[in-house]
Amino acid sequence: MEKPTAAPSSEFEDFEAAHNRQALDPSVLPARAQKGRGAISNNNGRYEKLSHQAYDDGWLMENIDRGTGVESDDDFPPARVKTTLGVDGARSVITRNQSPDVPFDRSINPYRGCEHGCVYCFARPTHAYLGLSPGLDFETKLFWKPEAPALLRKQLAAKSYMPAPIVIGTSTDPYQPVEREKQLTRNIIQVLADCRHPFSIITKSALVCRDIDLIAPMAKQNRASVAVSVTSLDNRLSNLLEPRAGAPHRRLDAIAKLSDAGIPVTVLCAPIIPGLNDNEIENLVAACHKAGAQSVSHIVLRLPLEIADLFDEWLQNHYPDRRDKVISLIKQMRDGKLYDANFGSRMRGSGPIADLIAQRFNLARRKHNMAGRSLNLDCSGFVRPGANGQLSLF
C-alpha cells in the first residue's frame, strides 16, 4: 500500500537523508528496478505538498511466516509501468537561452519526457513543473507537440526574427521511440529545410538515419550537423544507464552512415562519470573517430535537484560496491558538493579529477586529429515563410 507523508521542508530531499531513508523507517518498502526503465522510484516532485511511499502493511511478512508459498518479496515483481503519450499545448516551439556554456541561443524539443530513461538526464526535474515525478513519470508519461511544425513556421515568419543555428533535442531526445510513429522531428526538420534555416540535432538514436534525405542536402550547404551522444562502449553499462536508447554499436553505425552521407558528426561523451565510465575515454574517442566523427566533446555528470536521489538509488541498485567511490569522486569535482550550478564549471567540474578528465580528452582528440564541438553553420540564404504559408525572400 502507499502511505502519504508530508513533503520535505527543503526544496528537495537531502542526498544523504535519501540514502538512509530505509534505515530510518524500516516500514517503508524500497523501490525496485524494472526491466527497461532507468529510474528506480517515482517520488513526487519538489512542488507537491505531499509525497507517497510504498508502505509495508504486514501482509507480505505474515504470509512468508505462515509458509503459504510466498518465499520473499521477489515473488511479487513490481508492476510494469506502460508508456503513455499526452499532448503539450505549447504556444511557441523555439526556446531561448543565455547560457555561456553552450554554443547556441535557441533550441527545439519536440517532446517532453523521454522514454530512453537515462537515469542521469538533467531534464528530469522539469517534469515537476507538470505535477509529475522526475523519476518513472519522466520516462513513462510523455507529451508531444503536434502543432510544433506550424508554430515553428509562424515564429520564423515574424519580421523580427533573425536566423541563428537552432539545436533540436537539447533536453529530450527528438528520436526517442515514439518518433517512429509521430514523425514530429522529421516534420520540424522539413520546415527548417524549406526555409534554409541552419540546424543541428542531438540524439543517441540510430533513427536519425531515417532523415538523412532531409539533413544531407542542408549539410552540403553547411546548414546542418548532427551530434551523437555516446556514453559507453560497454553494453551492460549502457543498457543500465540508458535502458531504451540505442546500443553502442548502433550509435557507431549511425555515425558512419551520417558521415558517409556528408553530414558533419560530432560526438558528445556525456556524461563522464568518474569511477564508472571514465576508464573508457581513450577507447570512446578512438571508436568514434574510426566510425567517421569529426569532433568530440565531453560533459561530466550533473546532479541537480531530484537527479541526485535518483542517481544514488541507481548506484545502490546496480553498482553498490562502487557507490561510495563514485559519490566521493563526484564531490571532488564539485568542491565537496554533489552539484555546482555556476556557469563555466557546471559542465566541466573543477579540481584535479575534472582537470585529468579534460586533459585525457584533449590528448585523445589530438591523437586522432579531431576538433571540439562547433556550430559554425551558414545563416545566409534564410528564406522567411510568408503569412500564407509560401516562402518569401523579403
Side-chain angles (χ1 to χ4, degrees):
M1 63 178 291
E2 283 194 344
K3 177 183 178 181
T5 60
S9 57
S10 59
E11 186 179 11
F12 56 96
E13 279 192 312
D14 177 79
F15 186 81
E16 295 300 334
H19 179 57
N20 294 315
R21 187 186 301 119
Q22 181 64 19
L24 293 173
D25 187 355
S27 64
V28 175
L29 296 175
R32 290 181 289 167
Q34 293 189 33
K35 184 178 180 180
R37 299 298 183 186
I40 309 297
S41 61
N42 203 38
N43 296 330
N44 293 69
R46 59 194 177 280
Y47 298 119
E48 305 308 302
K49 294 182 178 180
L50 295 176
S51 63
H52 292 78
Q53 297 173 324
Y55 187 77
D56 180 11
D57 61 0
W59 183 90
L60 182 60
M61 291 306 300
E62 181 180 342
N63 279 272
I64 292 175
D65 292 341
R66 290 179 179 178
T68 57
V70 179
E71 296 182 0
S72 72
D73 62 354
D74 290 336
D75 291 341
F76 291 87
R80 299 291 290 272
V81 181
K82 294 183 178 180
T83 301
T84 63
L85 184 65
V87 172
D88 184 335
R91 297 183 180 181
S92 63
V93 68
I94 299 177
T95 301
R96 303 276 184 159
N97 79 83
Q98 297 179 333
S99 171
D101 290 332
V102 293
F104 56 89
D105 68 352
R106 64 201 70 183
S107 60
I108 295 175
N109 290 290
Y111 302 97
R112 279 181 179 262
C114 186
E115 196 173 7
H116 282 165
C118 305
V119 69
Y120 55 76
C121 181
F122 68 86
R124 282 183 178 273
T126 62
H127 244 46
Y129 300 144
L130 306 176
L132 298 173
S133 172
L136 285 172
D137 281 350
F138 177 80
E139 52 194 279
T140 59
K141 295 183 179 180
L142 314 179
F143 299 86
W144 72 305
K145 304 174 183 179
E147 300 301 318
L151 290 170
L152 175 59
R153 190 176 291 274
K154 181 179 179 181
Q155 286 186 266
L156 298 182
K159 292 183 179 180
S160 60
Y161 181 81
M162 299 298 292
I166 289 178
V167 179
I168 305 172
T170 54
S171 293
T172 57
D173 203 307
Y175 287 101
Q176 56 183 290
V178 69
E179 170 63 17
R180 292 186 182 277
E181 174 191 350
K182 297 302 182 183
Q183 298 195 36
L184 180 58
T185 298
R186 180 175 176 85
N187 291 334
I188 288 172
I189 292 174
Q190 184 67 69
V191 172
L192 294 170
D194 289 344
C195 298
R196 300 178 192 172
H197 193 294
F199 64 89
S200 185
I201 299 166
I202 300 177
T203 185
K204 56 188 64 175
S205 171
L207 182 58
V208 64
C209 295
R210 178 200 65 186
D211 296 336
I212 284 178
D213 62 317
L214 295 178
I215 303 170
M218 289 288 284
K220 188 176 182 180
Q221 303 168 30
N222 189 31
R223 294 194 176 109
S225 64
V226 174
V228 178
S229 174
V230 184
T231 311
S232 174
L233 300 176
D234 183 323
N235 284 320
R236 179 179 183 273
L237 176 58
S238 179
N239 184 56
L240 292 174
L241 272 175
E242 310 154 332
R244 299 200 179 193
H249 72 275
R250 292 276 290 155
R251 300 186 213 185
L252 294 175
D253 183 59
I255 291 171
K257 289 179 179 177
L258 293 165
S259 182
D260 288 345
I263 300 170
V265 180
T266 189
V267 170
L268 298 179
C269 295
I272 294 299
I273 307 171
L276 208 57
N277 69 343
D278 58 329
N279 62 308
E280 298 187 60
I281 290 175
E282 289 77 13
N283 290 337
L284 273 173
V285 175
C288 294
H289 172 260
K290 183 178 179 180
Q294 297 179 354
S295 59
V296 62
S297 182
H298 82 282
I299 298 174
V300 298
L301 179 67
R302 300 165 58 190
L303 295 175
L305 302 171
E306 292 92 345
I307 305 177
D309 288 351
L310 291 168
F311 184 71
D312 179 47
E313 198 171 49
W314 181 90
L315 276 175
Q316 293 182 64
N317 198 276
H318 297 296
Y319 293 94
D321 57 326
R322 300 194 201 180
R323 186 262 174 188
D324 291 343
K325 176 182 178 181
V326 171
I327 295 301
S328 174
L329 291 171
I330 291 171
K331 288 183 175 180
Q332 290 179 52
M333 294 195 303
R334 303 293 187 189
D335 195 25
K337 299 176 293 185
L338 279 168
Y339 183 57
D340 174 11
N342 291 322
F343 290 134
S345 61
R346 59 178 184 157
M347 293 187 178
R348 290 290 183 266
S350 60
I353 302 296
D355 291 344
L356 179 59
I357 289 173
Q359 289 171 14
R360 290 173 62 191
F361 267 103
N362 289 335
L363 288 172
R365 265 197 298 265
R366 290 208 298 267
K367 178 179 179 180
H368 298 288
N369 197 28
M370 299 176 76
R373 187 184 179 195
S374 173
L375 269 184
N376 187 23
L377 300 175
D378 185 6
C379 296
S380 66
F382 169 62
V383 181
R384 196 181 308 277
N388 60 357
Q390 299 296 317
L391 298 179
S392 172
L393 293 174
F394 308 100

